[in-house]
Amino acid sequence: MTADIMDPPVIPQPEKKFDVAEVAKHNTPESCWVILYGKVYDVTDFLPSHPGGSKAILTLAGTDATADYDPIHPPGLLEQTLTSKHLLGEINVTTIPHQLPVPPPPNTPTTGLTPIAVPVLTENPILGHTHDLPPLTSQLNLEDFTLTAQKILTPKAWAYYFSAADDLHTKTLNNTAYTSLLLRPRIFRNVEHVDTTLTLLGEAKQPSALPLFISPAAMARLAHPSGESGIAHACGKAGIVQIVSNNASQTFEAIAAAKIAPTQPQWFQLYVQTTLAKSEAVLKRVNELGYTAIVLTLDAPTPGKREADERVKNLQGTTSAVHAASSSSSSSTSPSPSETPSPAPASAPAPTGEGLGRALFAGTSPTLTWADLTWLRQHTPLPIILKGIQTHDDALLASQNPLVSGIILSNHGGRALDTAPPAIYTLLEIRKYCPEVLQKIEVYVDGGIKRGTDVIKALCLGAKAVGIGRAALFGLAGYGEAGVGRVIEILREEIETCMRLLGVNSLNELGPQYVNTSALDLLIYKDPNFPYPPPPPPPAIEEPSPLPPPLVPDVEEFPPLKAKL
């Protein structure tokens, strides 16, 4: 009789522990270790395939990268990207030195108002100092949220959100341009009831409770752990559209799942990658997830020079959830359009500055042309909206293209080309040279919206709806979904108040008769090819009358004179 032989039970072995000093030795391309959530990983063989480039990881090699990694990567991505062979063990917490918080770097951008003194407290990986977060009800306008965000966000998050290109001229003008437009209110109108609802994208008939949408804003988890999902939930409750950023800090599966109802419209922003297979994989997922439009961003084929962002250290160790997911899910190639985007020449000079904004542009194609819209249509049935129109010339071309359903007048929040025109200037330019565009396709504006009156002014001049970006992120900071909801509610109240004081009951009644643009008319671009009426002829210059001949006295009439002669 033989006894059954059973395998001995597997006893889990304790993970090996590493001292901080040991991890710090592995900070080279040949041996690159990082600490994430108390675990030690050897990522040496992952360096070449990192979507943001090897430099992004090497900047944090030998250190605890959790604070840089966590806010901009979705839960589960680490396990999808690295395998058990990369996990070396745990960090010995007793060897971690006490680290004092690092004060904000010099030249940290401000709002132009009185800087807020921030006490030195320990920071978590996402938010800075939240001990004295004002009550949400005390936030009365969008500028209040900006001041609060400046106070509680980490220096890295604040610099990334607030920064703009070069000297911030365009960013500043985005805000101030609306104040140059004056409203023309009418009286004796019954304005007990006002209706702010509308339908977007024509035949697609996507409803919106307000002429407002959330513009694509990357890295929302830098503001709050709920990130883009929190924005999605707030938009669903308010009944407005959210445009999900291509560089979101959560997967767009998670963001789509955060909708409060299957019919909630969500648009997706697309940056086309130099490797088209990655963008095609993204489009396939977006189509299947129920997004309702594609917003193709065109105003930033290369990153602008955002100096405030570049001044903050250790921003290279970042990439987006979408980039990372796309990299792991699109290893195969697929047919390319006739003009396949290709990487920039190897001889092109490398950028001298670094920052989160520049890192997120890794792999973005700078070679798109109008012909690539055919490629895009081959990979999505969704309405196509072009974001980044800054001249009436391009607006006219877009309106003549049957593949285009709408355009967003935008200068990338002033973050791309400094001294580019504000969207409201471009809207006035369209009205001046090609007003038929406003009848052919839907025109939206983005950038600089601070008040409900700004929204109404844009609508009076022909915009269908307007977008806000930073305002949603600043509302998210500290307050999460409730803060975004409060931002939307403030604008709703201001829009309704403006409509009543203007004397209108619905958005359809708004028109140019309600706004005085005289202060901006002379600043709008003058097209030398536009068929202006011929100038009036100059007034005729009358030739002066000839002087009469000198009078010669008749000597016959003056006898004394005759006697002298």
Side-chain angles (χ1 to χ4, degrees), residues 13-357:
Q13 298 296 317
E15 290 185 343
K16 184 176 180 180
K17 293 184 180 293
F18 293 88
D19 292 350
V20 168
E22 174 63 22
V23 176
K25 297 176 183 178
H26 300 269
N27 59 0
T28 68
E30 291 74 28
S31 181
C32 181
W33 293 9
V34 293
I35 304 169
L36 290 170
Y37 307 107
K39 307 286 187 180
V40 180
Y41 293 89
D42 182 350
V43 293
T44 307
D45 64 355
F46 180 65
L47 292 175
S49 59
H50 183 246
S54 61
K55 184 178 179 181
I57 299 179
L58 289 171
T59 302
L60 302 169
T63 69
D64 189 340
T66 306
D68 288 83
Y69 177 92
D70 182 80
I72 57 175
H73 294 84
L77 183 62
L78 180 64
E79 292 77 10
Q80 296 173 17
T81 306
L82 301 180
T83 64
S84 57
K85 73 174 184 178
H86 296 99
L87 177 60
L88 301 178
E90 296 181 346
I91 192 70
N92 185 349
V93 294
T94 63
T95 65
I96 300 176
H98 177 68
Q99 296 181 352
L100 294 176
V102 179
N107 300 318
T108 297
T110 66
T111 60
L113 303 178
T114 304
I116 299 173
V118 180
V120 177
L121 296 174
T122 302
E123 298 181 354
N124 66 36
I126 297 177
L127 294 180
H129 316 290
T130 58
H131 71 296
D132 56 353
L133 186 68
L136 184 56
T137 54
S138 71
Q139 306 295 283
L140 302 181
N141 56 53
L142 270 57
E143 190 64 20
D144 286 348
F145 281 103
T146 303
L147 291 171
T148 300
Q150 180 189 1
K151 184 177 180 180
I152 67 172
L153 289 174
T154 62
K156 176 172 69 175
W158 172 254
Y160 175 66
Y161 288 160
F162 187 84
S163 63
D166 296 354
D167 299 308
L168 281 67
H169 291 307
T170 291
K171 179 180 184 293
T172 302
L173 198 56
N174 280 349
N175 299 136
T176 59
Y178 283 97
T179 62
S180 298
L181 300 172
L182 300 181
L183 292 168
R184 303 184 65 248
R186 301 299 305 273
I187 62 171
F188 278 136
R189 305 284 180 90
N190 183 347
V191 290
E192 181 180 2
H193 302 288
V194 293
D195 182 8
T196 62
T197 62
L198 71 162
T199 301
L200 302 176
L201 289 178
E203 296 180 358
K205 294 183 179 180
Q206 299 185 20
S208 180
L210 290 168
L212 185 73
F213 58 86
I214 303 299
S215 299
M219 302 293 106
R221 290 187 69 236
L222 286 172
H224 192 272
S226 63
E228 290 84 2
S229 293
I231 296 176
H233 213 242
C235 287
K237 289 181 177 179
I240 68 171
V241 169
Q242 172 197 21
I243 306 180
V244 175
S245 171
N246 193 117
N247 291 323
S249 57
Q250 295 176 308
T251 63
F252 38 85
E253 286 87 355
I255 302 168
K259 296 188 298 185
I260 66 171
T263 56
Q264 177 182 334
Q266 274 183 328
W267 300 352
F268 184 83
Q269 177 209 32
L270 179 69
Y271 283 112
V272 176
Q273 302 296 292
T274 53
T275 304
L276 287 177
K278 294 182 179 181
S279 294
E280 291 166 4
V282 166
L283 289 167
K284 183 176 185 297
R285 294 162 66 192
V286 166
N287 295 336
E288 295 171 351
L289 286 167
Y291 285 83
T292 54
I294 298 295
V295 178
L296 180 62
T297 291
L298 300 166
D299 50 10
T302 188
K305 186 171 183 283
R306 307 173 195 171
E307 295 170 4
D309 186 22
E310 294 174 3
R311 286 193 179 101
V312 180
K313 303 299 183 182
N314 292 332
L315 293 186
Q316 300 95 324
T318 53
T319 187
S320 73
V322 173
H323 274 194
S326 300
S327 175
S328 61
S329 66
S330 57
S331 58
S332 61
T333 59
S334 59
S336 303
S338 56
E339 296 183 18
T340 303
S342 58
S347 59
T352 56
E354 290 291 348
L356 179 53

